[in-house]
Amino acid sequence: MIVLFAIFLLTLLVISAIAIVRVKNLFVAVMLMGIFSLLMASTFFILDAADVALTEAAIGAGVSTIILLSALALTGEHERFATANRWLPLLVVTITTTTIIYATFDKPRLGDPEAPVHQHVAPWYLQNTPELIDIPNVVTAVLASFRGYDTLGEVFVVLTACIGVLFVLGARPEDAPKPAKQQGLRHHLIPKVVGRLLVPFIVLFGLYVQFHGDFGPGGGFQAGAIIATGIMLYAVLEGETAALKAVPSSLLMAMVAGGAILYGGVGVAAILLGGNFLDYSVLSSNPVDGQHLGILLVELGVGITVCGALLSIFHAFAAREHK
Amino acid sequence: MFFATSIAILVTMALALARAVMGPSVYDRVLAVNMFGTKTALLLSVVAYLYGRPDFLDLALTYALINFVGVLAVLEFFQNRTVSPDLNKNDDVR
């Protein structure tokens, strides 16, 4: 039955993807992207990947719509006609698609216990997580501890991407938006009342996702996105200026860099205490407690960086809009 | 019971998607996206119970909280920018 659900959702996914490509009004494309993301999250969830689904939910439902709309406010609403030759792209896409479809013939069946991916390190992680790290969510254990290097890399990718986007948009912290004619939705009663009620709950839920990541789906990436969404909601309601007053851009810059430094600092602290880089066992007298502390700090660093990066990009778009 | 519920939700999702693709006006699409988000939250809760893992309800909660923000962002976008709400003439698929 679940397989039928998955097939149905994938069909809807294909329909919305084709519609996104074919529609010429970019605003409609943004709306369809929202639906695409919702479908994607449901599919991840049905495949039992709750952590990934939560990430897609946190980014796709709020942040990406807001950032795409900010980009749309800077550009035109209609897609320009492509004058270039269309046959070459078609050829490239056909060849790639054929190759991928050919490759799927060798793919093991979904959920096949004999698949190579289930024979490699995964059994070791599943076996040793209760003993070495002792947290229920193995995904968090793999992400923050066993594969801590990879996640450190991801955090620095987020940092680099944020710096890159800010350079491209050419926004400096001094370019605070001037009070425009009418900012935010504060003159509309219903959005104002409901939205203001929601802001604290969204931030609270983000903190819950942040610190509950060891026990259920969630962690730093998702929490950073959810908290950033909460603050973006505040900006949408009260205007950019109010949001920048609450969370100034100097603080955002410090968050983007500080989270990455916190992550790296935990690794260096582990070296200084006599362990390997990012080996949290030495952080406390009991190795398991050390792992708990290390994962908590590392996830906090991830959350701070992601939240700061998303908000800086959001404000950079808005500052450019007001120029 | 859960199966019947989830099938009903899936059908509603398909109808909302049809409305979002066909339009014709902006408001149809905004409403369709909003409804799609609500239905996703419902579907996630039902599937979480089917899997017997109610702790996955966190996901549905995320959607319930965040889906609204996207809609508000759309409203603000339209407030700051006078877009022709009638897209009939020029947004038809190629």
Side-chain angles (χ1 to χ4, degrees), chain A residues 1 22 46 77 184 188 208, chain B residues 3 51 58 63 79 83 94:
Chain A
M1 200 52 152
R22 291 188 57 98
I46 282 184
E77 203 180 315
H188 302 273
Y208 158 75
Chain B
F3 286 126
Y51 277 176
D58 284 7
Y63 267 123
Q79 172 185 277
V83 191
R94 235 174 259 163

Side-chain angles (χ1 to χ4, degrees), chain A residues 62-317:
Chain A
V63 177
S64 65
T65 307
I66 295 178
I67 288 185
L68 284 175
L69 284 178
S70 324
L72 208 55
L74 297 178
T75 61
E77 203 180 315
H78 287 277
E79 188 179 332
R80 234 179 269 157
F81 246 120
T83 46
N85 190 355
R86 287 191 188 175
W87 292 106
L88 185 65
L90 186 66
L91 185 72
V92 172
V93 168
T94 316
I95 292 175
T96 322
T97 317
T98 327
T99 320
I100 291 173
I101 291 176
Y102 178 68
T104 55
F105 293 143
D106 279 346
K107 196 174 80 64
R109 201 172 47 80
L110 176 69
D112 184 2
E114 301 297 315
V117 68
H118 299 309
Q119 304 295 323
H120 189 46
V121 285
W124 191 89
Y125 290 148
L126 288 174
Q127 232 167 36
N128 289 289
T129 298
E131 184 199 334
L132 294 178
I133 302 184
D134 193 25
I135 57 173
N137 189 358
V138 183
V139 177
T140 304
V142 173
L143 178 132
S145 182
F146 293 128
R147 288 302 186 96
Y149 276 42
D150 298 4
T151 313
L152 179 67
E154 283 172 38
V155 172
F156 276 92
V157 167
V158 172
L159 173 70
T160 320
C162 176
I163 294 171
V165 172
L166 294 188
F167 264 119
V168 170
L169 291 175
R172 277 161 303 165
E174 309 89 75
D175 295 344
K178 292 156 209 82
K181 51 229 161 358
Q182 189 187 21
Q183 266 197 338
L185 293 168
R186 76 190 122 196
H187 300 294
H188 302 273
L189 186 62
I190 294 173
K192 186 178 133 186
V193 172
V194 180
R196 282 196 141 178
L197 263 176
L198 265 181
V199 172
F201 286 108
I202 292 179
V203 174
L204 183 67
F205 186 73
L207 290 173
Y208 158 75
V209 169
Q210 170 82 55
F211 293 110
H212 195 257
D214 304 4
F215 306 99
F221 287 102
Q222 295 91 334
I226 292 174
I227 294 174
T229 313
I231 298 171
M232 283 180 197
L233 171 60
Y234 184 71
V236 166
L237 288 174
E238 302 285 330
E240 292 292 317
T241 330
L244 272 176
K245 210 178 277 174
V247 188
S249 48
S250 53
L251 177 65
L252 289 177
M253 292 296 133
M255 277 167 75
V256 177
I261 291 172
L262 176 61
Y263 199 137
V266 174
V268 174
I271 292 183
L272 293 179
L273 289 170
N276 290 324
F277 186 65
L278 290 177
D279 176 12
Y280 315 132
S281 300
V282 292
L283 292 178
S284 167
S285 52
N286 181 354
V288 173
D289 288 348
Q291 290 285 346
H292 286 183
L293 180 66
I295 289 177
L296 189 78
L297 288 174
V298 159
E299 291 272 16
L300 189 64
V302 174
I304 291 173
T305 300
V306 170
C307 181
L310 287 174
L311 282 173
S312 319
I313 293 173
F314 171 68
H315 285 307
F317 270 110

Side-chain angles (χ1 to χ4, degrees), chain A residues 9-54:
Chain A
L9 286 175
L10 284 175
T11 316
L12 292 188
L13 200 65
V14 170
I15 293 173
S16 55
I18 292 175
I20 290 169
V21 174
R22 291 188 57 98
V23 88
K24 282 177 63 192
N25 183 294
L26 293 176
F27 173 76
V28 177
V30 171
M31 292 287 89
L32 288 171
M33 284 292 284
I35 290 188
F36 186 85
S37 147
L38 291 161
L39 280 167
M40 207 65 214
S42 316
T43 315
F44 284 143
F45 185 69
I46 282 184
L47 293 174
D48 212 4
D51 281 82
V52 189
L54 188 57

Side-chain angles (χ1 to χ4, degrees), chain B residues 3-18:
Chain B
F3 286 126
T5 318
S6 18
I7 287 167
I9 294 172
L10 285 175
V11 170
T12 321
M13 283 167 97
L15 292 176
L17 180 65

